[in-house]
């Protein structure tokens, strides 16, 4: 029981530290301003990637009806699995694994520990989303097939410069 309590306390402190809730900064911005700023930072990403990242940001900040809980995690997973960004899709799979473990442990002694793990994974998800350049780089470019390359492996390739 002490180990479970220690894990939960550590998770809460980590959450507060990472989300800035424990700081003494005077944050007088409107509650929606952080969400709007985050959305602007995500411009140039596909809708699912941006949605998953916005949901993770809202969960960490506790805004727009989201929190570091299983319900918000499932919403992040749904958007993340549709994301074109391989970083976000991979992180959604990791988050899903934690959520499924926590859901399976409902009513068991490990439930609180596994739910705290979900909170930690949402924080990691948000961290991945903060590097927008990496997210953009992780989106595979769509091939148009118009490169002029032949499907015939025996055909010589012209490598001359025009």
């Amino acid at each position: 029981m002490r180990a479970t309590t220690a894990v939960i306390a550590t998770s809460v402190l980590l959450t507060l530290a990472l989300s800035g809730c424990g700081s003494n900064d005077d944050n007088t911005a409107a509650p929606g301003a952080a969400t709007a700023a985050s959305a602007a930072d995500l411009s140039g990403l596909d809708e699912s990637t941006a949605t998953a990242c916005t949901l993770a940001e809202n969960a960490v900040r506790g805004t727009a009806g989201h929190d570091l809980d299983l319900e918000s995690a499932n919403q992040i997973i749904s958007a993340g699995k549709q994301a074109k960004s391989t970083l976000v899709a991979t992180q959604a799979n990791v988050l899903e694994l934690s959520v499924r473990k926590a859901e399976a442990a409902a009513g068991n002694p490990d439930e609180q520990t596994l739910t705290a793990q979900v909170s930690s994974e949402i924080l990691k998800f948000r961290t991945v989303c903060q590097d927008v350049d990496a997210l953009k780089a992780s989106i595979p470019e769509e091939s148009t097939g118009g490169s002029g390359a032949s499907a015939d492996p025996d055909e010589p390739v012209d490598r001359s410069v025009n």
Side-chain angles (χ1 to χ4, degrees), residues 25-48:
D25 296 345
D26 185 22
N27 188 359
T28 58
T35 304
S38 297
D41 294 341
L42 298 175
S43 63
L45 297 174
D46 63 283
E47 185 177 344
S48 294

Side-chain angles (χ1 to χ4, degrees), residues 37-46 49-51 53-54 129 132 135-136:
S38 297
D41 294 341
L42 298 175
S43 63
L45 297 174
D46 63 283
T49 299
T51 298
C53 288
T54 300
C129 289
V132 178
L135 292 178
K136 289 178 183 176

Side-chain angles (χ1 to χ4, degrees), residues 80-115:
K81 286 184 158 255
Q82 302 301 315
K84 289 183 181 178
S85 166
T86 57
L87 288 174
V88 168
T90 300
Q91 196 64 36
N93 288 333
V94 172
L95 179 57
E96 182 178 36
L97 181 62
S98 291
V99 168
R100 298 305 166 245
K101 285 180 181 178
E103 289 173 341
N108 293 330
D110 291 340
E111 180 181 11
Q112 291 179 334
T113 303
L114 294 171
T115 301

Side-chain angles (χ1 to χ4, degrees), residues 158-162:
D158 182 11
R159 298 189 195 277
S160 62
V161 177
N162 293 333

